[in-house]
Amino acid sequence: MTYVDTSDISAKMFIAVLLFLLVIAPLISLGVLRLFQSRKKSGLMLIGSGIAVYVIFQISTLFLDT
């Protein structure tokens, strides 16, 4: 059994992956599920929320880098 070396992963990349896996992906997948259940309003709201979280994260990384 071999171990994966994770020392090259930056904190920014770790937070981005964590945010994607815990917040953005579930919101978008629940939104798609709601669309298949013919609940268009809640489905689009969930997808929009996932996109909004992504945009807020991108804007915050721009300001934190400087």
Side-chain angles (χ1 to χ4, degrees):
M1 177 186 284
T2 61
Y3 292 102
V4 178
D5 183 25
T6 58
S7 63
D8 294 334
I9 297 175
S10 67
K12 183 179 174 183
M13 180 62 151
F14 179 77
I15 292 170
V17 170
L18 189 70
L19 181 71
F20 179 76
L21 290 175
L22 292 178
V23 178
I24 298 171
L27 282 174
I28 292 176
S29 65
L30 280 174
V32 171
L33 177 68
R34 297 282 191 229
L35 288 175
F36 278 116
Q37 292 176 344
S38 297
R39 298 179 183 172
K40 292 182 181 179
K41 185 177 179 181
S42 64
L44 293 175
M45 290 281 286
L46 285 168
I47 292 172
S49 298
I51 293 170
V53 169
Y54 174 75
V55 168
I56 290 169
F57 176 71
Q58 290 297 321
I59 291 171
S60 67
T61 56
L62 286 176
F63 289 120
L64 292 177
D65 282 343
T66 57

